[in-house]
């Protein structure tokens, strides 16, 4: 018997792999280019602090050297620790990761100036009020710097997610074996029922026109119409073995949905469910709008021996495409008993 929690964990891993989203909180701090940028920015910061402290006319080069050393030491030590912590940070909630990064930088500042004050405090006329001043400056500068790096990385993550969602859209389109089955069916119908053959060609044409179009949001009404064309093609092959039941809420018809999202779910329901039953079965599709979420529910007869990785691959692709449009607002669950396998996908709506 399939373990529901185990399958959901596999799906979560598959979706993240499909999107190649690793939850990176900061850029790759191990890259030499990142270290170079940090050094340059810190040197500019040291110059700015020295000018503010000494002025241009009485600029103190010795003081500038000490400020530069302190800033660079704190920055590079923090960079090293954060690079070593990167795997741990990427697995944590952004708030926890951000707070951890902030604390690391302040600890580096505290360690450096505690040593300096204890060893050279009298000579440099430093005291613990000076330490508080440096900590305050460190908090402000590190907060701004970490926030900037975080936002830059999130932009990269979103760009990467968008690129991969487009790739997944290509992979999740109509499979070649479906085309071969349709062409064979049409060839058989041409002589015995030309009218059905013509209608089948029109349905197939619309399906492939949609599959070759750019990934976009359509209304649920358009998506259902496209799915009905697909089911009509499959029904020509399976006859009375294939039954479908639609339940669509009136307020859901004009809601946005990525084109060809339901079709892979229906194809899986046929391939891994109805196809394996001698007398066929019924696929139930339910679409509900609850508050600001759209729920897509697809149920099919459960055939244990027919479950395969192909089912997960198609679902991963669908979820990846939805996440490409709606981000982390996409949620899903799987329910199964001795007779039914049900996929429930829901996402927060946005206007077309």
């Amino acid at each position: 018997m399939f373990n529901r929690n185990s399958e959901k964990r596999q799906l979560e891993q598959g979706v993240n792999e499909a999107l190649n989203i690793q939850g990176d909180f900061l850029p790759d701090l191990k890259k030499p280019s990142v270290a170079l940028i940090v050094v340059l920015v810190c040197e500019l910061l040291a110059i700015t602090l020295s000018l503010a402290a000494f002025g241009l006319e009485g600029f103190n080069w010795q003081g500038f050297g000490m400020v530069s050393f302190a800033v660079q030491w704190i920055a590079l030590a923090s960079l090293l620790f954060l690079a070593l912590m990167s795997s741990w940070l990427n697995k944590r909630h952004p708030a926890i990761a951000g707070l951890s990064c902030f604390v690391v930088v302040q600890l580096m500042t505290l360690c450096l100036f505690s040593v300096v004050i204890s060893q050279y405090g009298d000579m440099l006329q430093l005291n613990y009020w000076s330490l508080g001043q440096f900590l305050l400056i460190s908090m402000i500068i590190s907060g701004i710097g970490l926030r900037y790096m975080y936002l830059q990385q999130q932009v990269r993550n979103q760009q990467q997610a968008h690129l991969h969602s487009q790739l997944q859209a290509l992979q999740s389109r109509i499979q070649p074996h479906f085309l071969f089955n349709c062409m064979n069916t049409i060839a058989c119908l041409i002589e015995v029922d030309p009218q059905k053959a013509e209608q089948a060609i029109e349905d197939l044409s619309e399906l492939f026109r949609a599959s070759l179009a750019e990934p976009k949001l359509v209304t649920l009404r358009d998506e259902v119409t496209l799915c009905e064309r697909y089911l009509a093609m499959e029904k020509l092959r399976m006859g009375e073995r294939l039954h479908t039941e639609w339940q669509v809420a009136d307020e859901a018809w004009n809601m946005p949905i990525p084109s060809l999202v339901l079709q892979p779910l229906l194809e899986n329901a046929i391939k891994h469910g109805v196809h394996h039953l001698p007398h066929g079965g019924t696929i139930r599709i339910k679409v509900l709008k609850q508050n600001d979420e759209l729920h897509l529910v697809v149920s099919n007869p459960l055939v244990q021996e027919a479950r395969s990785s192909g089912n997960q691959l198609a679902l991963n692709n669908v979820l990846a495409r939805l996440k490409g449009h709606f981000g982390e607002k996409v949620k899903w669950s799987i329910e199964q008993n001795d007779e039914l396998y049900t996929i429930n996908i829901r996402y927060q709506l946005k206007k077309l």
Side-chain angles (χ1 to χ4, degrees):
M1 189 71 178
F2 253 165
N3 185 289
R4 184 183 310 167
N5 294 331
S6 174
E7 183 170 6
K8 184 169 182 179
R9 284 195 299 270
Q10 292 176 5
L11 287 171
E12 290 174 338
Q13 182 180 1
V15 171
N16 289 332
E17 289 176 354
L19 283 169
N20 197 25
I21 297 176
Q22 300 174 353
D24 292 345
F25 180 74
L26 294 175
D28 186 357
L29 301 178
K30 299 176 184 178
K31 289 184 177 180
S33 58
V34 174
L36 177 61
I37 292 173
V38 169
V39 169
L40 292 176
V41 170
C42 288
E43 200 61 28
L44 290 174
L45 175 61
I47 294 173
T48 303
L49 292 175
S50 298
L51 286 172
F54 308 122
L56 185 60
E57 183 176 353
F59 191 82
N60 187 325
W61 287 99
Q62 183 179 3
F64 164 71
M66 296 186 63
V67 172
S68 177
F69 170 80
V71 172
Q72 295 290 0
W73 191 95
I74 294 170
L76 293 177
S78 300
L79 190 67
L80 175 61
F81 272 85
L82 293 179
L84 295 174
M85 294 171 58
S86 58
S87 297
W88 183 86
L89 291 172
N90 292 337
K91 297 176 183 177
R92 298 296 178 269
H93 189 276
I96 297 176
L99 181 61
S100 301
C101 293
F102 186 80
V103 169
V104 166
V105 178
Q106 306 323 311
L107 287 176
M108 294 299 104
T109 305
L110 184 62
C111 290
L112 173 66
F113 282 99
S114 294
V115 172
V116 171
I117 288 174
S118 62
Q119 297 295 324
Y120 308 104
D122 294 335
M123 182 177 66
L124 300 175
Q125 297 182 344
L126 295 176
N127 53 38
Y128 286 100
W129 282 107
S130 302
L131 173 61
Q133 178 182 342
F134 287 125
L135 274 175
L136 181 59
I137 294 173
S138 175
M139 289 179 183
I140 296 172
I141 300 301
S142 61
I144 295 173
L146 289 170
R147 179 64 177 173
Y148 172 79
M149 288 194 289
Y150 168 75
L151 292 176
Q152 287 292 101
Q153 185 58 31
Q154 297 315 300
V155 170
R156 293 190 187 96
N157 287 343
Q158 290 176 7
Q159 290 172 342
Q160 190 177 45
H162 180 68
L163 174 61
H164 281 272
S165 69
Q166 290 180 323
L167 293 177
Q168 292 296 340
L170 292 174
Q171 295 179 19
S172 66
R173 287 170 180 171
I174 298 171
Q175 299 298 318
H177 70 82
F178 171 71
L179 174 61
F180 300 146
N181 291 338
C182 289
M183 297 304 293
N184 289 333
T185 302
I186 291 171
C188 295
L189 285 173
I190 286 176
E191 291 188 4
V192 298
D193 196 335
Q195 188 173 356
K196 276 190 178 181
E198 182 179 355
Q199 181 61 49
I201 292 173
E202 290 180 4
D203 291 339
L204 187 61
S205 174
E206 288 299 320
L207 283 169
F208 276 89
R209 182 179 289 110
S211 72
L212 294 174
E214 288 296 318
K216 62 180 180 179
L217 291 175
V218 299
T219 63
L220 179 65
R221 188 182 304 277
D222 292 336
E223 178 68 2
V224 170
T225 300
L226 205 60
C227 287
E228 287 176 340
R229 288 182 179 272
Y230 166 76
L231 292 170
M233 295 295 303
E234 289 286 27
K235 196 169 181 62
L236 288 176
R237 182 171 62 91
M238 300 186 65
E240 294 303 316
R241 294 176 59 217
L242 175 61
H243 300 275
T244 55
E245 293 181 3
W246 290 87
Q247 182 181 343
V248 181
D250 292 338
E251 63 271 21
W253 283 110
N254 292 320
M255 296 297 103
I257 185 172
S259 180
L260 286 177
V261 157
L262 277 176
Q263 185 272 331
L265 300 179
L266 297 177
E267 184 173 5
N268 266 2
I270 294 172
K271 182 178 178 181
H272 300 291
V274 178
H275 175 72
H276 293 272
L277 299 174
H279 300 291
T282 301
I283 300 173
R284 295 177 174 86
I285 308 99
K286 183 186 299 184
V287 184
L288 304 173
K289 180 178 179 294
Q290 295 182 353
N291 298 324
D292 59 346
E293 285 189 335
L294 193 68
H295 289 244
L296 310 174
V297 184
V298 178
S299 301
N300 61 270
L302 178 64
V303 181
Q304 294 292 345
E305 59 272 17
R307 307 254 47 96
S308 71
S309 60
N311 186 47
Q312 290 189 11
L313 177 61
L315 181 55
N316 290 342
N317 290 342
V318 167
L319 293 172
R321 293 183 62 204
L322 284 168
K323 283 194 171 186
H325 286 283
F326 300 98
E328 295 303 318
K329 297 175 182 178
V330 179
K331 307 296 180 183
W332 73 94
S333 62
I334 295 175
E335 297 180 5
Q336 58 185 23
N337 51 40
D338 294 337
E339 298 181 353
L340 285 179
Y341 182 88
T342 302
I343 297 174
N344 186 338
I345 299 175
R346 58 193 184 277
Y347 57 90
Q348 191 170 344
L349 292 164
K350 66 179 182 180
K351 295 181 180 180
L352 278 170

